[in-house]
Amino acid sequence: MDNLIALLVAAPLLGAAVLLCGGRRLDRFGHWIGTLLAAASFVIGAVLFVDMLGKGADQRALHQYLFSWIPVEGFQADVAFQLDQLSMTFVLLITGVGTLIHIYSIGYMEHDERRRRFFGYLNLFLAAMLLLVIADNYLLLYVGWEGVGLASYLLIGFWQHKPSAATAAKKAFLVNRVGDMGLSIAIMLMFTTFGTFAFGPVLASTGETSEGKLTAIGLMLLLAACGKSAQVPLQSWLGDAMEGPTPVSALIHAATMVTAGVYLIVRSGAIFNAAPDAQLVVVVVGGVTLLFGAIVGCAKDDIKKALAGSTMSQIGYMILAAGLGPIGYVFAIMHLVTHGFFKAGLFLGAGSVMHGMNDEVDMRKFGGLRRYMPVTFITFGLGYLAIIGFPGLSGFFSKDKIIEAAFAKGGTEGWILGAVTLLGAAITAFYMTRVMLLTFFGEKRWQPDAEGHDPHPHESPKSMTIPMIVLAFGSVFAGGFFSLGDRFLNWLEPVTGHSHGDSPVSAMTVTAATMVVLVIGVAIAWAMYGRGPVPVVAPRGSLLTRAARRDLLQDDFNHVVLVRGGEHLTRSLVYVDHTLVDGVVNGTAATMGGLSGRLRKLQNGYARSYAVSMFGGTAVVIAATLLMRAV
């Protein structure tokens, strides 16, 4: 079975090569090639998963060595793969949800003349993401990490004829490069500290390394995670990335790319466990982003941007859980998987709504769509209930476990984190109820588009609704299945470890508190958007509302601190260069030029002048000699 691991990456990589290099002759059926190869990767993953289930918990890890990438003295970099319970979880999620998104894209991109290229980019993204999660060393992981960045740039800016899409792609690319610097520095520190990049030796040697070095490595890994997973302070790219086609939003912002940071932290758990200061920063970043994204999601009228804020917030839950160490590693990944189901379903549902509404994204121009799009309404509604933590659905099991783990941290820190996670749950219930009410309930509010065409909302084709139905099943049943008999905990514990912590409150108390804040959030949203007519034009709102519409001024902050700061720094460096560096260089040249000009006057070519100089010099030498003798 070890020999099959490479095929996980090879299948979608082959699809990308064929679709991107095959030319227009593949336009008519290229989308089927991309979809079938994505499905082939899922089938290979399923075969490996079944084989893994037949082994003992301590014998499930598989390794495959392909070749030595950089074999030089003192520096060995291999292309080798590791498939254990953690990476297998990601493989099934990436290939399963990825295949459904491929199928959905067949209908969604039906009329796009560049559909073949789009599917090539999707395959490239899957291949890079799979390489990231099955690599057995940090350097090969970095190759997949950069491949995901490239593919996301191509997908976000796919509609490059739109200036906003091209700008969003560049923004995502540049912000992620900042995070990628963190990963590259972490890898350099690992090599200088451990002499290797491989997961096994690095993670096994943390007990022999100083806490300072591990803290530095941990903080650099966190910086990388902030970039890929859109966490504060590198979160600004996520909302703008909605300019890409909706399947891209579902693939990148739900199940794959934004979860890479969570994978990196959990995979590097031994480093963070030995560096409590770095672990604390992870918790702070997760908690801040959890609330940041939720507040932003409350004020967005663009349905995709509201879901983008939600993604930022839910990934914040996962990062916070990962920062709790063995108390939260398992639950971070569990919520990651359930979130992959319901958030992918929500994004695909948003795409279905746009498909039936002439690509309109303003929820204030929807209303009453449940009557026209019943399948979209039901599947989207189930995703909504899952994400707010409705009892019995997936989010109820996974998010509640994170809230319990936050309290289990113990002490004052546990109470603070527990309060933050509960507040996040209340805000989630508010903004997601707002999305449901504005989109599917109330009276219709749609208006003719810019060309005077009146929208005619209708249900999407089966190629789009079937993936939504499958994801809805995951939204309903995945969390309960994972929790039954602690299945998911028992599956991941051999890799991540687990600790129950010391919670000051019982699980029942946490569940009751979660239900209370859920009801409060839903009730406030209903009072504001469900009882009366909704204005098509959003009111001006409070200062906080206006700030949230502008992403809590994150772009303004970046512009003032980074862009303007960079401009001032550049001007200062130019001034120093012109006045100091050039001054020294030019001054030295001018001094030597002036001195040489004056000395040149002594070389006038007249014999009498030279004779006088010689006579004068001789007189000076004789006088000096006589003076020395007299003394």
Side-chain angles (χ1 to χ4, degrees), residues 332-492:
I333 303 300
M334 181 175 172
H335 192 54
L336 184 151
V337 175
T338 60
H339 177 265
F341 284 113
F342 55 70
K343 184 53 65 66
L346 289 169
F347 268 115
L348 295 188
S352 180
V353 170
M354 292 168 59
H355 180 80
M357 291 293 292
N358 294 348
D359 289 329
E360 179 62 66
V361 295
D362 189 344
M363 293 184 291
R364 291 183 177 275
K365 297 179 182 178
F366 295 158
L369 291 181
R370 70 185 188 280
R371 298 188 294 271
Y372 303 90
M373 310 177 72
V375 176
T376 300
F377 167 63
I378 293 173
T379 55
F380 193 98
L382 291 173
Y384 151 73
L385 292 175
I387 195 173
I388 67 172
F390 190 82
L393 275 70
S394 291
F396 169 79
F397 294 99
S398 59
K399 190 160 64 176
D400 270 26
K401 288 295 185 182
I402 293 178
I403 298 173
E404 291 175 21
F407 279 106
K409 183 67 174 176
T412 304
E413 185 180 348
W415 284 106
I416 293 174
L417 294 177
V420 167
T421 53
L422 283 174
L423 178 59
I427 302 175
T428 300
F430 170 81
Y431 69 71
M432 285 306 305
T433 303
R434 175 178 179 268
V435 170
M436 280 297 295
L437 293 174
L438 289 178
T439 303
F440 295 103
F441 291 88
E443 299 299 322
K444 64 178 185 179
R445 299 182 299 275
W446 55 82
Q447 300 173 345
D449 59 22
E451 299 177 357
H453 300 142
D454 199 28
H456 297 286
H458 56 279
E459 192 56 87
S460 299
K462 289 184 178 180
S463 62
M464 295 172 64
T465 56
I466 289 175
M468 291 158 55
I469 292 171
V470 174
L471 290 169
F473 270 95
S475 301
V476 174
F477 299 111
F481 177 78
F482 293 155
S483 297
L484 189 63
D486 289 331
R487 278 196 180 99
F488 202 81
L489 175 60
N490 296 332
W491 167 256
L492 275 187

Side-chain angles (χ1 to χ4, degrees), residues 25 78 226 238-239 253 255 309 311 347 353 357 433 452 499 538 592 604:
R25 66 176 70 89
D78 296 331
C226 287
L238 189 66
H253 308 134
T311 297
F347 268 115
V353 170
M357 291 293 292
T433 303
S499 170
M592 296 305 296
N604 54 20

Side-chain angles (χ1 to χ4, degrees), residues 327 407-411 500-505:
I327 300 175
F407 279 106
K409 183 67 174 176
H500 292 286
D502 184 21
S503 179
V505 294

Side-chain angles (χ1 to χ4, degrees), residues 249-329:
S249 303
L251 184 65
I252 293 179
H253 308 134
T256 53
M257 176 174 166
V258 293
T259 63
V262 183
Y263 170 80
L264 182 65
I265 292 175
V266 174
R267 173 62 74 188
S268 308
I271 294 175
F272 287 95
N273 293 342
D277 290 340
Q279 204 169 51
L280 176 61
V281 178
V282 174
V283 171
V284 172
V285 167
V288 170
T289 310
L290 185 165
L291 297 179
F292 187 103
I295 293 171
V296 168
C298 291
K300 295 294 185 181
D301 292 327
D302 183 320
I303 187 171
K304 289 174 65 177
K305 290 191 175 183
L307 294 178
S310 172
T311 297
M312 193 187 304
S313 178
Q314 296 303 308
I315 300 294
Y317 269 105
M318 302 170 206
I319 294 291
L320 184 148
L324 296 174
I327 300 175
Y329 287 144

